[in-house]
Amino acid sequence: MAVPTGPRVYFQSPPGSESRGTEEEEEEEGPVRRQGRVTVKYDRKELRKRLHLEEWILAQLTLLYDCQEEEIPELEIDVDELLDMESDESRSARVKELLVDCYKPTEVFVADLLDKIRGMQKLSTPQKK
């Protein structure tokens, strides 16, 4: 059986745990360590793009609703939901449906949002099998 290769991370046992020896043994052997693995679920670049997009959406909504961030009506623009949709027309209709109570024109915001999400990847966590 092949041992997987890759970066390794070692975790120190917390003070007072049963896996540690006496202080004398610790000085001789060093701290007790157990091996662990680190996995990266998402690409940092994609996460950064998503963060910038969400900040942009928030800024645009404060302009559209002409209010402070805390006063924006409760609505959720789910980017992953939009990415799952078949066409820009359905995405556009969904965003306009969410912004139905906005008194300012939303067409420019919707078009810019669709441009920004084009080519993005979904970040939803995969379902366990």
Side-chain angles (χ1 to χ4, degrees), residues 82 87-97 110 114:
L82 296 175
S87 67
D88 278 351
E89 291 78 27
S90 56
R91 292 180 188 105
S92 176
R94 176 65 179 140
V95 175
K96 287 178 182 177
E97 176 184 311
V110 173
L114 296 182

Side-chain angles (χ1 to χ4, degrees), residues 9 33 54-55 59-62 73-74 87-88 92 103 108:
V9 175
R33 294 177 181 227
E54 290 183 6
E55 289 171 345
Q60 294 301 307
L61 291 176
T62 57
E74 191 68 31
S87 67
D88 278 351
S92 176
Y103 66 90
V108 173

Side-chain angles (χ1 to χ4, degrees), residues 54-113:
E54 290 183 6
E55 289 171 345
W56 177 83
I57 289 172
L58 191 56
Q60 294 301 307
L61 291 176
T62 57
L63 292 173
L64 283 174
Y65 284 95
D66 200 21
C67 64
Q68 298 297 317
E69 180 179 331
E70 302 81 32
E71 299 167 344
I72 295 173
E74 191 68 31
L75 64 95
E76 181 179 340
I77 298 176
D78 185 346
V79 175
D80 288 332
E81 175 191 6
L82 296 175
L83 290 171
D84 277 340
M85 293 181 170
E86 295 292 321
S87 67
D88 278 351
E89 291 78 27
S90 56
R91 292 180 188 105
S92 176
R94 176 65 179 140
V95 175
K96 287 178 182 177
E97 176 184 311
L98 292 169
L99 300 173
V100 70
D101 60 347
C102 182
Y103 66 90
K104 289 186 175 181
T106 59
E107 290 79 16
V108 173
F109 168 74
V110 173
D112 288 348
L113 176 62

Side-chain angles (χ1 to χ4, degrees), residues 43-59:
D43 179 10
R44 284 183 184 209
K45 186 176 179 182
E46 282 299 316
L47 287 173
R48 199 171 300 118
K49 282 170 56 177
R50 183 64 63 101
L51 177 62
H52 290 299
L53 175 65
E54 290 183 6
E55 289 171 345
W56 177 83
I57 289 172
L58 191 56

